[in-house]
Amino acid sequence: MFRASALLALMLGSASVLAQAPLQARPADVQAITDASARDVAALIAQPGFADAARSALRAAPERGVALQQVVARFDPQARTVASSSVARQDGQLRLRKGLPEQGPALLQLRAYVPEGASLDAIAPRQLWVASLPRGNDRDWTTLTAYDAQGRAHLLDAKQAPDFPVLIVDVDTRRSVAEGMALVNAGLRERGLQSPERISIAANGASASLDITRLDRIRLADDQEPWALGAAEVFAVVSGLQVDKTEPELVTVDMPYLDYDNTDYTPQQALVIWGNYRFNAANVQLFEDDGDTNYQELLVALTTGVKTALGVFAPEYAVIADIAGAILNAMPSSWFANDIDYLDSFYLLQRGQAYTDRMGAANNAKVTLTPITLVE
């Protein structure tokens, strides 16, 4: 996908930035947690019943994956206590590392890469390998590590898919993005970057009609990602000026259907809810959570960073595009070391305007947008 130009991230934070995960208590990074879990799962495969539990849980949709805790729950009851305790501990570490409360839905998932014509059921349990995803930009991956039931590490080619099934332990980004977007939006409201009178489709009883811009079609460019990566999890940041205050108006929008590149999706999703944006203009920027996103850091970036970048400003039309630039400048710099994190930008979308096959500024996303009015 689009490789963002070098953008200097603003200095983020004070000692209170990560209230839920103090710096001195932060766990290992996401890759270290998933790698440790992969080694634990490989060891469990040597125990009777675990491989059957994994294959049963994955049979319906191996590429989508299931919660690792769900697999453990199917496992031999005599060993379940120790195994579930380890998984629960690692899940808690992962949630803290992603800026989410330690207690909550499981985020560690087990999925499988299964070549065409192959089957998980045809592989003897002790021949199953369990991999985790490497660190860094996936374009730079050359190998990834998989573990066998004896604890031995094997290197797999990151570009050339194996001709046998491989289990993969990683982050359930669909679940984490949904929870993370709720956390970020709540934080934006608390910090004054989302109007307390913000209009929403769910709570619009006072209005006789509601103008929205609906996302009818979207397609992302093909980036030839490695075989081991699962479905993407994309979200949008919609931004503009607040109607009654000299403040930016920001909201994050989850796009859970947008799984793969080079594929057309027709979600008919309400993307921009007008009445929330001065001058009837807004920006839409697309980002992907590759599993490493810390939502507390994202919230700080969208509040402290954007406010610092804009400073004191007059509520003029030209400022709307500046807000989108401030969002990019405020994002954690690590997001631009991996070119799949920032996807594209659509600047100064207008109320009542239809857009057919409009390309984003980065030529990575193509959208069709339709203005409609919802009547009560």
Side-chain angles (χ1 to χ4, degrees):
M1 295 179 181
F2 174 69
R3 184 176 297 278
S5 59
L7 294 171
L8 294 178
L10 297 175
M11 294 301 293
L12 300 180
S14 63
S16 61
V17 164
L18 296 178
Q20 293 181 330
L23 192 59
Q24 66 271 19
R26 292 183 73 180
D29 64 33
V30 170
Q31 196 278 335
I33 296 169
T34 57
D35 190 70
S37 297
R39 286 185 271 112
D40 288 347
V41 170
L44 285 170
I45 284 177
Q47 300 189 31
F50 186 84
D52 289 339
R55 289 185 294 209
S56 175
L58 291 168
R59 191 165 288 127
E63 72 285 348
R64 284 304 303 179
V66 296
L68 188 52
Q69 287 188 4
Q70 179 181 333
V71 178
V72 171
R74 293 173 179 244
F75 184 36
D76 180 6
Q78 293 182 350
R80 188 183 304 164
T81 302
V82 175
S84 62
S85 176
S86 175
V87 170
R89 182 175 64 255
Q90 289 163 342
D91 253 318
Q93 291 178 334
L94 181 59
R95 292 182 61 82
L96 285 177
R97 187 61 184 88
K98 290 183 68 62
L100 297 171
E102 185 174 6
Q103 302 301 318
L107 296 183
L108 279 171
Q109 71 171 358
L110 183 69
R111 54 185 178 84
Y113 167 77
V114 182
E116 187 176 354
S119 170
L120 275 176
D121 292 328
I123 304 295
R126 289 182 175 272
Q127 293 178 337
L128 276 174
W129 292 358
V130 186
S132 62
L133 302 181
R135 290 182 176 88
N137 185 350
D138 63 77
R139 287 181 183 270
D140 299 330
W141 293 354
T142 56
T143 61
L144 53 91
T145 303
Y147 303 95
D148 64 24
Q150 288 73 46
R152 295 172 299 200
H154 304 267
L155 292 181
L156 298 175
D157 191 318
K159 304 299 183 184
Q160 182 65 42
D163 57 5
F164 54 88
V166 177
L167 298 178
I168 300 168
V169 174
D170 64 0
V171 180
D172 184 348
T173 49
R174 174 164 293 191
R175 186 182 294 273
S176 69
V177 166
E179 187 175 351
M181 293 304 96
L183 180 149
V184 171
N185 281 323
L188 290 172
R189 285 191 296 273
E190 292 173 358
R191 290 159 174 79
L193 287 176
Q194 201 178 96
S195 171
E197 290 79 34
R198 180 174 178 84
I199 301 169
S200 69
I201 291 178
N204 191 45
S207 299
S209 63
L210 181 66
D211 287 345
I212 70 170
T213 289
R214 187 179 67 194
L215 176 60
D216 282 343
R217 185 179 299 273
I218 182 168
R219 182 183 183 92
L220 299 179
D222 181 11
D223 68 355
Q224 299 180 350
E225 291 182 337
W227 59 269
L229 284 177
E233 292 301 335
V234 177
F235 63 91
V237 178
V238 183
S239 63
L241 283 169
Q242 291 187 23
V243 174
D244 298 321
K245 295 172 61 180
T246 307
E247 293 283 0
E249 175 77 5
L250 308 180
V251 66
T252 61
V253 180
D254 189 8
M255 308 173 82
Y257 50 85
L258 192 52
D259 290 336
Y260 299 104
D261 299 328
N262 202 28
T263 303
D264 287 328
Y265 294 92
T266 55
Q268 295 190 316
Q269 179 182 24
L271 187 59
V272 185
I273 301 176
W274 300 106
N276 294 315
Y277 300 97
R278 187 179 294 195
F279 302 120
N280 293 322
N283 314 297
V284 173
Q285 292 168 286
L286 303 179
F287 298 89
E288 179 183 3
D289 183 350
D290 60 2
D292 291 331
T293 303
N294 182 298
Y295 300 105
Q296 290 286 345
E297 292 176 357
L298 175 59
L299 174 59
V300 171
L302 289 174
T303 53
T304 306
V306 170
K307 282 192 172 185
T308 301
L310 292 175
V312 178
F313 63 88
E316 300 172 348
Y317 183 84
V319 174
I320 298 172
D322 293 339
I323 293 171
I327 289 171
L328 288 184
N329 279 306
M331 286 295 182
S333 59
S334 61
W335 282 44
F336 299 99
N338 184 339
D339 61 356
I340 67 169
D341 287 324
Y342 165 61
L343 301 181
D344 217 333
S345 297
F346 296 87
Y347 298 108
L348 298 178
L349 300 176
Q350 296 181 346
R351 184 176 191 166
Q353 177 69 49
Y355 300 92
T356 301
D357 292 338
R358 172 164 173 169
M359 294 300 300
N363 284 320
N364 183 47
K366 181 170 65 174
V367 299
T368 292
L369 302 172
T370 304
I372 66 171
T373 299
L374 302 178
V375 179
E376 187 177 10

